[in-house]
């Protein structure tokens, strides 16, 4: 038998095991963790190999596997070295290609060997998990990074990934904890950090925090780019100062900042919200005809949504067709809005034609989602079985995501189909995707639309108890639920809670409050 170089203290033991292997069916793996060797013996169907594995968890060592193959006449020694970098490459590859579960299995295997991924692999894992709404797992990995001091050169990417994930779910308190940790570790915010915060605060109706972010950017001399100016326009818009919002455009021109699609989208959204539909269309035409940035999916979604909102369904359908002709396909949420309005008017033929045009052009997975939405809104027979519907989507190759579940739930909620909406929520949880604030707001809407205001209120309390931070949509939807139930006295109370939370009321919330106060005045 060939001599193999091993630690002298274990030479004899290894030799004994090798001798045993020639007489019985046995496989042996010996693992090293922090310098100690632990033998693990397994029985195999043939007496031809013993594998001895050494793993050194300290940095700089790689996983080394010595395989001893024996036959009756001779013995061979094969040395195979699997580096930690191989594990890291596999983890990052799985994250890039959508195999997050496989990446987590590789992580567990690496952990069992007493090692950890490198900082970049942790970043990939955390970013991917947050993108899928699996923030609890992402947070656990982040705590692991902190515990082992594995930040490396990527601490800011880790923090930004966590911030984005938490705020996407509406978990403001957890996001603030990340910001506190950044301050303790002297990690400076960058442009992306500020944009993540500003995007959340503006969409949540938190005016004071939004301006605080903008002022901090100015103080630290972080450039106010078109994204930031677009959010400032939205802040003015949401607070009834739409003319001042448009005045920002002049400021942008004065400083020589190029007008990009983000700014244009904010202008379209501002005009649309205040019913200035002709002006919104003029902006759209300018984008199409000039050398300025062309309309993207957000531009079309905005202009179609506001035409639907103001009852201009025919124009919305024209825009819907125009968008597809330009090679841009509709967001499923806009499709929900359109077919709901057409369904209310009994225009089922228009729904069929609209879907047929999508079916001819759209990618296979998105076609399946549209078909499901037609089944739900069109009530063609299969909409009652949410589980069957999700199963059908998965069989069509549609990967379950938070956005998919929220879209389907919203389609049920708009019709007040509470049981089906709750079923979609459970299916979402069964897929390992944590419910986000959007889904819980949809659930409030489902109960409110069906007249179950107390159930809607219970979801609101659940949101607060679960660590989510209610946004302006949460409060407005809850106020609408009590308005539908003619419980007008509760509306001012909800409005006060909203103001106390730091959310700034939008036009819809103020209108609901005004209507409730008028009814209460008449009663008295």
């Amino acid at each position: 038998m060939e001599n193999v170089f091993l630690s002298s203290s274990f030479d004899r033991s290894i030799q004994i095991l090798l001798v045993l292997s020639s007489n019985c069916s046995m496989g042996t793996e010996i693992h090293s963790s922090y310098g100690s060797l632990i033998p693990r013996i397994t029985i195999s169907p043939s007496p031809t190999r013993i594998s001895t594995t050494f793993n050194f968890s300290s940095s700089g060592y790689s996983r080394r596997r010595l395989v001893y193959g024996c036959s009756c006449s001779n013995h061979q020694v094969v040395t195979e070295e699997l580096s930690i970098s191989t594990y890291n490459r596999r983890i990052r590859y799985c994250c890039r290609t959508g195999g997050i579960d496989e990446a987590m299995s590789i992580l567990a295997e690496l952990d069992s060997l007493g090692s950890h991924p490198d900082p970049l692999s942790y970043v990939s894992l955390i970013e991917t998990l947050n993108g899928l709404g699996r923030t609890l797992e992402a947070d656990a990995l982040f705590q692991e990074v902190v515990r082992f001091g594995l930040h490396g050169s990527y601490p800011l990417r880790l923090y930004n990934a966590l911030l984005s994930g938490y705020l996407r779910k509406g978990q403001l308190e957890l996001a603030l904890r990340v910001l506190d940790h950044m301050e303790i570790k002297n990690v400076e915010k960058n442009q992306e950090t500020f944009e993540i915060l500003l995007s959340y605060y503006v969409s949540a109706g938190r005016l004071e925090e939004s301006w605080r972010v903008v002022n901090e950017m100015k103080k630290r001399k972080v450039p106010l780019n078109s994204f930031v100016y677009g959010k400032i326009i939205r802040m003015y818009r949401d607070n009834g100062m739409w003319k001042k919002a448009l005045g920002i455009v002049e400021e942008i021109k004065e400083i020589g900042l190029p007008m990009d699609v983000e700014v244009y989208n904010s202008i379209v959204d501002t005009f649309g919200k205040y019913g200035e539909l002709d002006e919104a269309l003029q902006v759209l035409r300018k984008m199409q005809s000039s050398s300025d940035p062309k309309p993207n999916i957000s531009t079309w979604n905005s202009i179609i949504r506001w035409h639907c909102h103001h009852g201009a369904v025919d124009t919305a359908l024209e825009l819907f067709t125009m968008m597809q002709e330009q090679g841009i396909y509709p967001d499923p949420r806009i499709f929900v809005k359109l077919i709901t309005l057409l369904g209310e008017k009994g225009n089922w033929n228009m729904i069929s034609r609209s879907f047929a045009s999508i079916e001819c052009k759209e990618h296979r997975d998105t076609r399946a989602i549209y078909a499901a939405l037609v089944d739900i809104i069109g009530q063609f027979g299969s909409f009652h079985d949410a589980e069957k519907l999700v199963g059908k989507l998965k069989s069509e190759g549609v990967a379950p995501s938070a956005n998919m579940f929220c879209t389907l739930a919203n389609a049920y909620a708009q019709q007040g189909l509470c049981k089906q909406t709750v079923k979609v929520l459970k299916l979402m949880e069964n897929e390992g995707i944590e419910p986000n604030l959007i889904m819980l707001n949809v659930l409030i809407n489902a109960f409110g639309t069906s007249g179950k205001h107390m159930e809607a209120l219970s979801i609101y309390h659940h949101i607060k108890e679960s660590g989510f931070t209610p946004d302006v949509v949460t409060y407005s939807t809850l106020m609408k639920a009590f308005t539908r139930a003619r419980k007008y006295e509760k509306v001012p109370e909800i409005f006060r809670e909203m103001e106390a939370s730091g959310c700034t009321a939008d036009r819809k919330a103020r209108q609901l409050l005004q209507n409730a106060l008028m009814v209460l005045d008449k009663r008295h």
Side-chain angles (χ1 to χ4, degrees):
M1 180 181 293
E2 297 183 24
N3 291 327
V4 180
F5 176 74
L6 296 169
S7 175
S8 59
S9 62
F10 291 98
D11 254 350
R12 185 62 183 162
S13 299
I14 297 299
Q15 290 172 11
I16 291 171
L17 290 172
L18 289 171
V19 171
L20 287 172
S21 71
S22 64
N23 300 316
C24 65
S25 174
M26 178 181 293
T28 304
E29 285 195 0
I30 300 181
H31 293 269
S32 167
S33 177
Y34 297 98
S36 62
L37 292 174
I38 304 171
R40 187 176 72 214
I41 299 176
T42 56
I43 304 298
S44 64
S46 66
T48 58
R49 95 171 355 180
I50 291 178
S51 66
T52 306
T53 303
F54 294 88
N55 172 60
F56 295 88
S57 61
S58 54
S59 135
Y61 288 92
S62 59
R63 181 185 181 193
R64 181 179 296 276
R65 173 170 289 169
L66 303 178
V67 181
Y68 304 86
C70 13
S71 61
C72 295
S73 57
N74 58 12
H75 303 286
Q76 297 176 341
V77 179
V78 179
T79 302
E80 176 190 354
E81 185 171 309
L82 299 178
S83 65
I84 298 300
S85 63
T86 301
Y87 283 97
N88 285 313
R89 285 196 300 271
R90 288 173 63 196
I91 288 172
R92 293 197 288 271
Y93 174 77
C94 290
C95 289
R96 285 196 308 272
T97 57
I100 184 62
D101 291 329
E102 185 179 351
M104 294 297 283
S105 297
I106 296 169
L107 174 66
E109 182 182 341
L110 192 55
D111 184 62
S112 71
L113 297 172
S115 291
H116 307 287
D118 62 19
L120 184 56
S121 296
Y122 270 114
V123 168
S124 298
L125 285 163
I126 290 172
E127 287 178 340
T128 305
L129 288 168
N130 275 324
L132 294 171
R134 293 162 62 171
T135 54
L136 293 179
E137 293 167 89
D139 184 62
L141 290 183
F142 175 71
Q143 298 307 322
E144 191 172 303
V145 169
V146 172
R147 188 165 61 252
F148 293 110
L150 300 173
H151 294 77
S153 304
Y154 308 97
L156 197 49
R157 278 189 63 182
L158 286 167
Y159 287 122
N160 286 342
L162 274 180
L163 273 177
S164 179
Y166 287 145
L167 294 178
R168 192 181 298 118
K169 292 193 67 176
Q171 295 171 317
L172 181 58
E173 290 184 10
L174 292 178
L176 293 176
R177 187 187 69 183
V178 173
L179 291 175
D180 289 341
H181 199 277
M182 288 176 69
E183 189 172 343
I184 292 170
K185 295 295 181 180
N186 295 317
V187 178
E188 293 289 333
K189 303 183 186 78
N190 66 356
Q191 183 89 29
E192 184 184 359
T193 316
F194 286 116
E195 289 181 3
I196 290 169
L197 292 169
L198 187 60
S199 183
Y200 170 75
Y201 287 139
V202 171
S203 62
R206 296 182 173 274
L207 184 62
E208 185 177 341
E209 290 94 334
S210 299
W211 280 119
R212 189 182 300 137
V213 171
V214 173
N215 290 332
E216 188 176 353
M217 291 181 75
K218 290 179 179 178
K219 182 178 178 180
R220 298 193 181 192
K221 297 183 179 179
V222 177
L224 300 185
N225 57 17
S226 58
F227 177 89
V228 176
Y229 276 108
K231 294 302 178 185
I232 293 174
I233 291 172
R234 290 174 188 269
M235 281 192 281
Y236 282 129
R237 180 207 69 186
D238 292 341
N239 288 275
M241 297 179 284
W242 69 276
K243 289 185 178 180
K244 192 169 183 178
L246 297 178
I248 293 292
V249 176
E250 296 304 319
E251 181 179 333
I252 293 172
K253 291 178 180 178
E254 287 175 7
I255 63 175
L257 188 69
M259 290 279 288
D260 70 1
V261 70
E262 181 69 31
V263 175
Y264 275 122
N265 287 348
S266 297
I267 295 169
V268 168
D269 215 31
T270 299
F271 278 132
K273 180 166 185 176
Y274 289 96
E276 305 290 339
L277 301 180
D278 289 339
E279 284 79 0
L281 288 172
Q282 285 180 19
V283 175
L284 177 68
R285 284 192 285 269
K286 184 178 186 302
M287 293 176 73
Q288 291 176 312
S289 61
S290 69
S291 59
D292 291 333
K294 300 304 176 188
N296 62 9
I297 183 64
S298 297
T299 317
W300 290 102
N301 281 347
S302 176
I303 201 163
I304 291 173
R305 181 177 72 251
W306 290 118
H307 275 80
C308 288
H309 179 78
H310 293 290
V313 183
D314 292 339
T315 306
L317 281 171
E318 290 176 12
L319 292 166
F320 184 78
T321 304
M322 192 186 305
M323 171 176 58
Q324 294 178 73
E325 289 172 350
Q326 297 188 13
I328 300 176
Y329 300 106
D331 186 318
R333 289 169 294 182
I334 296 301
F335 193 67
V336 168
K337 178 76 73 175
L338 270 174
I339 59 179
T340 301
L341 288 171
L342 291 170
E344 290 173 355
K345 293 188 173 185
N347 294 333
W348 299 112
N349 291 333
M350 292 293 291
I351 293 177
S352 300
R353 284 201 294 273
S354 298
F355 176 64
S357 65
I358 295 172
E359 196 170 25
C360 296
K361 302 175 183 178
E362 186 55 277
H363 296 296
R364 182 170 177 262
D365 58 344
T366 314
R367 281 205 309 269
I369 294 176
Y370 289 131
L373 295 174
V374 170
D375 281 344
I376 296 170
I377 305 295
Q379 303 185 20
F380 295 150
S382 65
F383 74 96
H384 283 297
D385 194 341
E387 188 170 13
K388 182 179 178 182
L389 203 58
V390 172
K392 182 180 177 182
L393 285 171
K394 290 170 70 176
S395 70
E396 291 283 344
V398 179
S401 65
N403 183 55
M404 184 194 84
F405 285 112
C406 289
T407 300
L408 295 180
N410 187 40
Y412 286 120
Q414 289 196 23
Q415 299 178 93
L417 300 172
C418 305
K419 291 182 179 179
Q420 288 81 1
T421 308
V422 172
K423 188 66 176 289
V424 172
L425 172 64
K426 291 180 179 177
L427 292 170
M428 181 180 183
E429 293 176 324
N430 291 341
E431 290 291 337
I433 300 172
E434 301 162 43
N436 54 20
L437 185 60
I438 295 172
M439 175 62 86
L440 296 174
N441 286 344
V442 166
L443 199 55
I444 291 176
N445 188 41
F447 286 121
T449 302
S450 63
K452 299 181 178 180
H453 60 284
M454 293 307 296
E455 286 84 349
L457 184 62
S458 70
I459 299 299
Y460 167 69
H461 290 310
H462 172 75
I463 287 173
K464 297 179 72 175
E465 291 166 3
S466 301
F468 293 95
T469 303
D471 60 12
V472 67
V473 177
T474 312
Y475 291 109
S476 296
T477 308
L478 188 61
M479 290 165 68
K480 186 172 71 173
F482 278 90
T483 298
R484 283 178 179 270
R486 301 182 185 278
K487 304 293 183 180
Y488 299 103
E489 64 280 356
K490 186 71 176 177
V491 174
E493 181 183 330
I494 298 169
F495 191 88
R496 286 193 294 271
E497 283 189 36
M498 176 174 60
E499 289 187 317
S501 74
C503 282
T504 301
D506 59 9
R507 185 181 181 185
K508 182 179 180 180
R510 288 193 292 268
Q511 187 63 53
L512 286 166
L513 175 64
Q514 185 178 351
N515 292 343
L517 292 174
M518 287 175 63
V519 173
L520 292 172
D521 286 343
K522 288 180 181 179
R523 285 182 179 179
H524 292 92

